[in-house]
Amino acid sequence: MEEVLSEGKNFRLLEDSELPEIIEFIGQFLPHSIKFHQTLKTYLNDRVWDFHFYVTKTWPDQPVILHFPGMTSTPNGKIYESFSVFCPCDQLEHLQLLEQEDVLIDWTQPIYLNFTHADIMSKIEEFYSDKGTIEKQYGDIYVMTEPKEDDSTSVVFAEDAEMLQLTPEHAQTIHDLYPANHMECVEVFEKLIEKLPCYGVFSASGELAAWMVQSYYGAMFSMQTRPEYRRKGYGLILAKYLTKVVTERGYLPFVVIRPENDASKALYSKLGFKKNFETVRAILRPHERASDEQGGGTENQ
């Protein structure tokens, strides 16, 4: 088992007892800090996964915080090959400490960053451009800051369907159809279903027709409907219900939507969500590694 380091060059490992104070501090920067803020909150409340959080040794004067592993499924399954980072957008000069970090982060190896604020990613790209290439996937963060009044009086399902809390036996089906399943292992979905609000719409025959779960980073995500059950309003019903449940649990509801996904944008806008900022999921590949891969090397993707 990989050793968990107590400190790096510029960062130190947080004790669990310190997390409430950290949550309160980065709460000042909502909604821009929302993913990191609610990752900490979900970890403290529900322990969905075994994460490690580091802050600068000069915190809070230099407010940069790291989350390892940033993705739960990476090619080598190592703690320190994946992370996410938050820094207030008006203090990005402190990301120099990230650039200089050579104990926790090995910049000579591929690195996998989970969704990170686009301004932070741009700053990382500035200093990484000499080191390697960045493969990016964009997302838009939509947040419900002011809950919209629900004018519906009842939920009417088509064809005698019903909505139920999912059970771990549904995890494999959900994982198989999850678009980024190469970055999230099936065990994460099992833990999410066990510990967090995760709902499915089941057809009259008992088949799982549509589903939506709360993520370990607090977001409402992985909403999908099987093609044969689309245009029945299941997505809207799930999103509306999970928004209510997430809010009651003390979270600020948010989703990550791909820029080209107009249907999801329309759905969440209808529920009162608004776009707040752009986020980026990225793979950082050192130049030498990138050359090896192009030349037919065996480096994991």
Side-chain angles (χ1 to χ4, degrees), residues 3-19 22 43 50-57 65-69 79-80 101 104:
E3 179 186 5
V4 176
L5 303 176
S6 61
E7 64 177 31
K9 180 177 182 179
N10 297 319
F11 296 84
R12 67 173 182 83
L13 181 67
L14 284 168
E15 299 290 340
D16 287 354
S17 60
E18 298 178 274
L19 295 184
I22 301 297
Y43 173 80
D50 189 17
F51 295 136
H52 308 286
F53 302 95
Y54 292 77
V55 294
T56 60
K57 295 178 181 179
I65 181 169
L66 306 178
H67 161 216
F68 297 92
I79 295 173
Y80 297 103
E101 181 57 51
L104 300 177

Side-chain angles (χ1 to χ4, degrees), residues 157-159 161 201 203 209-210 223 225 229 232-239:
F157 286 102
E159 301 171 358
V201 174
S203 69
M223 184 178 75
T225 302
Y229 291 104
K232 298 180 184 293
Y234 294 164
L236 179 61
I237 291 170
L238 282 167

Side-chain angles (χ1 to χ4, degrees), residues 193-217:
I193 292 171
E194 178 185 343
K195 293 178 176 289
L196 296 176
C198 302
Y199 294 94
V201 174
F202 293 81
S203 69
S205 63
E207 184 177 19
L208 181 58
W211 55 87
M212 190 172 192
V213 306
Q214 182 181 352
S215 164
Y216 60 81
Y217 51 87

Side-chain angles (χ1 to χ4, degrees), residues 10-11 56 62-66 83-89 91-101 105 107 113 116-127:
N10 297 319
F11 296 84
T56 60
Q62 294 177 294
V64 183
I65 181 169
L66 306 178
F83 70 93
S84 59
V85 55
F86 175 73
C87 178
C89 291
Q91 301 181 56
L92 296 181
E93 68 276 7
H94 297 311
L95 288 175
Q96 63 178 315
L97 297 175
L98 180 64
E99 178 183 6
Q100 298 162 2
E101 181 57 51
I105 302 171
W107 296 105
L113 268 68
T116 300
H117 196 292
D119 290 353
I120 296 174
M121 188 62 72
S122 293
K123 199 70 176 178
I124 292 174
E125 195 164 11
E126 285 181 16
F127 68 74

Side-chain angles (χ1 to χ4, degrees), residues 280-299:
V280 183
R281 173 181 266 169
I283 301 175
L284 283 61
R285 291 191 175 94
H287 286 308
E288 185 177 345
R289 289 276 174 167
S291 298
D292 288 346
E293 290 171 8
Q294 291 173 1
T298 59
E299 184 65 30

Side-chain angles (χ1 to χ4, degrees), residues 130-154:
D130 291 337
K131 305 177 187 295
T133 59
I134 301 181
E135 175 187 322
K136 293 178 285 189
Q137 178 185 17
Y138 291 89
D140 294 329
I141 298 286
Y142 277 70
V143 183
M144 178 186 280
T145 54
E146 297 180 6
K148 191 172 182 179
E149 289 189 15
D150 186 359
D151 56 2
S152 63
T153 57
S154 62

